[in-house]
């Protein structure tokens, strides 16, 4: 039989006295009275995915987040997916309605011909320029709060679009709608990744959110034609607001709360943890660029106007300055909204390029379908 080894004063195991090597070697025992100093094999073998799910991002630039209730029932998981995908669906539903009904809308509210494409353009302009800013704010104050705020704003101004009586009103209301949806889109990604670990449910959630946009636009095109010829284009926006109201009320109870594990006050986090200058440079550059492109949609000859040339030049210079500023921030160990090293990640860069061209084709179709 194997012999049980002796223990020295420190608790270390030694081989059997006969030196035959048949003694059973036992691991070294921790001498500290603190139970935390004894390693837990279950934790040592925990998968990387599980660690990321429970602790979030461990980078120093943004403290980790976690959800309060990681164990969700199947019903609640379904409701979360439906809620997030529902707003994604309604986002493009309104664009589809507007695209088909635009000729009738221009007649009803006396929208000038040179402003005909602005209700659609300002929506994309506001949404695209503010995605980064609201995504960064959500990391500090909470994704659920920002998502719900944007969703309820979307309800109010969808109704306002339906009640518009002039071209200026519908342009302003569509601009605020773009601001509202820019609160919902980045936070939907945050809520998904912090709610579901890697696996089936996360894949279903992302697929549903992505699928909601083209389906919503297609349904909007169909309903826009039907409503315009029957009960009126305004009812398309009324019905959209009612559906969104049901989804938003449901979200108050279904969406989990993502909390930051930090003792820092949220006001301090807004000041110290967000790269406001970088976000401002990129947002203003994109806003100016999109404005110039929108101004030239009626005629490419307008691109040669002095005002458009100056604005286009300023936007290009700001876009060039952005990566330089990002490098400066990283060198100083300060928050950078999009660090340059992120673009070295081939899957990330490839995905961004693919999404860019997909949406370019999608928006081009939206433009030509109104002709």
């Amino acid at each position: 039989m194997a012999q049980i080894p002796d223990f020295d004063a420190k608790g270390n195991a030694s081989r059997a006295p006969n030196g035959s090597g048949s003694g059973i070697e036992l691991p070294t025992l921790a001498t500290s009275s603190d139970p935390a100093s004894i390693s837990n094999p279950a934790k040592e073998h925990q998968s990387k995915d599980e660690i990321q799910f429970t602790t979030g991002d461990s980078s120093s630039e943004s403290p980790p987040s976690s959800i309060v209730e990681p164990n969700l029932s199947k019903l609640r998981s379904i409701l979360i997916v439906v809620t997030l995908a529902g707003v994604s669906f309604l986002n493009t539903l309104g664009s589809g309605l507007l695209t088909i009904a635009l000729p009738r809308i221009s007649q009803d509210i006396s929208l000038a011909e040179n402003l005909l494409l602005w209700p659609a353009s300002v929506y994309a302009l506001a949404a695209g320029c503010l995605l980064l800013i609201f995504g960064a704010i959500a990391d500090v104050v909470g994704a659920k709060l920002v998502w719900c705020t944007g969703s309820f704003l979307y309800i109010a101004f969808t109704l306002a679009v339906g009640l518009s009586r002039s071209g200026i009103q519908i342009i302003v209301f569509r601009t605020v709608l773009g601001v509202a949806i820019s609160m919902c889109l980045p936070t939907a990604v945050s809520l998904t990744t912090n709610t579901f670990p890697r696996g089936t449910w996360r894949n279903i959630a992302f697929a549903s959110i992505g699928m909601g946009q083209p389906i919503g636009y297609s349904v909007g095109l169909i309903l826009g034609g039907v409503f315009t010829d029957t009960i009126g284009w305004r009812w398309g926006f009324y019905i959209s607001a009612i559906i969104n109201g049901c989804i938003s009320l449901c979200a108050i109870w279904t969406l989990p709360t993502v909390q930051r594990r930090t003792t820092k006050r949220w006001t301090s986090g807004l000041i110290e943890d967000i790269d406001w200058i970088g976000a401002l440079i990129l947002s203003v550059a994109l806003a100016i660029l999109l404005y110039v492109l929108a101004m030239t949609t009626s005629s490419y000859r307008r691109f040669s106007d002095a005002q458009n040339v100056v604005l286009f030049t300023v936007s290009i210079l700001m876009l060039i300055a952005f990566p330089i500023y990002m490098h400066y921030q990283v060198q100083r160990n300060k928050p950078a909204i999009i660090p340059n090293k992120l673009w070295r990640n081939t899957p990330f860069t490839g995905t961004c390029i693919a999404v860019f061209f997909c949406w370019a084709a999608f928006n081009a179709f939206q433009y030509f379908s109104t002709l």
Side-chain angles (χ1 to χ4, degrees):
M1 283 181 67
Q3 297 178 350
I4 302 299
D6 297 329
F7 290 86
D8 57 22
K10 294 182 179 180
N12 297 326
S14 60
R15 292 186 179 274
N18 59 9
S20 63
S22 61
I24 300 173
E25 295 187 14
L26 299 179
T28 302
L29 300 177
T31 57
S32 171
S33 60
D34 184 5
S37 64
I38 302 177
S39 62
N40 187 340
K43 290 184 179 180
E44 291 176 359
H45 291 83
Q46 187 180 16
S47 69
K48 188 178 294 185
D49 290 345
E50 290 172 335
I51 292 173
Q52 292 174 349
F53 177 60
T54 55
T55 63
D57 183 10
S58 60
S59 65
S60 60
E61 293 182 0
S62 75
S65 301
S66 66
I67 64 172
V68 176
E69 301 172 273
N71 296 321
L72 302 172
S73 65
K74 187 175 181 179
L75 175 60
R76 189 176 180 191
S77 298
I78 292 173
L79 290 175
I80 291 172
V81 173
V82 170
T83 298
L84 298 178
V87 170
S88 177
F89 172 87
L90 294 173
N91 165 32
T92 51
L93 176 72
S95 298
L97 289 168
L98 183 72
T99 298
I100 294 298
L102 197 55
R104 180 66 61 82
I105 293 174
S106 64
Q107 295 175 7
D108 291 350
I109 63 176
S110 301
L111 183 64
E113 185 177 353
N114 62 333
L115 299 177
L116 194 59
L117 295 177
W118 273 97
S121 299
V122 294
Y123 181 78
L125 177 67
C129 294
L130 296 174
L131 285 174
L132 286 174
I133 293 178
F134 283 118
I137 292 174
D139 289 338
V140 175
V141 303
K144 181 178 179 179
L145 176 61
V146 175
W147 189 94
C148 289
T149 302
S151 183
F152 282 104
L153 279 175
Y154 202 87
I155 297 169
F157 284 93
T158 299
L159 282 173
V161 168
L163 296 170
S164 299
R165 291 293 181 270
S166 69
I168 297 300
Q169 286 182 358
I170 197 169
I171 290 173
V172 171
F173 295 152
R174 285 284 294 175
T175 302
V176 181
L177 276 180
V179 175
I181 202 62
S182 69
M183 298 182 187
C184 297
L185 294 180
T187 49
V189 175
S190 176
L191 288 165
T192 300
T193 54
N194 283 282
T195 300
F196 305 112
R198 292 184 181 180
T200 302
W201 275 107
R202 182 182 288 190
N203 295 340
I204 292 173
F206 277 126
S208 300
I209 293 172
M211 182 176 61
Q213 300 201 20
I215 292 178
Y217 186 75
S218 301
V219 173
L221 292 176
I222 297 171
L223 294 182
V226 173
F227 290 155
T228 300
D229 292 336
T230 54
I231 59 177
W233 60 269
R234 298 181 187 275
W235 275 99
F237 294 98
Y238 298 156
I239 293 173
S240 175
I242 293 171
I243 296 173
N244 198 357
C246 297
I247 291 175
S248 300
L249 290 174
C250 179
I252 296 175
W253 290 277
T254 57
L255 291 183
T257 301
V258 179
Q259 294 181 339
R260 283 163 46 93
R261 292 180 178 176
T262 177
T263 57
K264 185 184 295 186
R265 292 175 58 88
W266 66 270
T267 50
S268 301
L270 287 175
I271 297 172
E272 301 170 5
D273 295 342
I274 296 179
D275 178 17
W276 288 106
I277 296 178
L280 188 64
I281 292 173
L282 186 58
S283 297
V284 172
L286 291 175
I288 295 174
L289 180 61
L290 291 174
Y291 171 79
V292 173
L293 295 177
M295 291 297 293
T296 58
T297 52
S298 58
S299 174
Y300 68 91
R301 293 185 180 87
R302 299 194 63 180
F303 186 78
S304 59
D305 293 349
Q307 175 185 342
N308 292 335
V309 171
V310 171
L311 291 175
F312 181 76
T313 304
V314 170
S315 68
I316 296 300
L317 291 176
M318 293 182 74
L319 289 174
I320 294 173
F322 179 74
I324 299 174
Y325 180 76
M326 290 297 98
H327 177 74
Y328 174 70
Q329 285 291 91
V330 172
Q331 291 296 317
R332 294 194 306 150
N333 238 359
K334 297 292 185 179
I337 196 162
I338 306 180
N340 294 331
K341 65 180 180 180
L342 192 62
W343 299 107
R344 299 172 194 164
N345 187 322
T346 304
F348 172 81
T349 304
T351 301
C352 289
I353 294 173
V355 170
F356 174 82
F357 284 107
C358 286
W359 276 100
F362 184 76
N363 287 326
F365 169 76
Q366 176 180 344
Y367 170 76
F368 286 110
S369 63
T370 62
L371 301 179

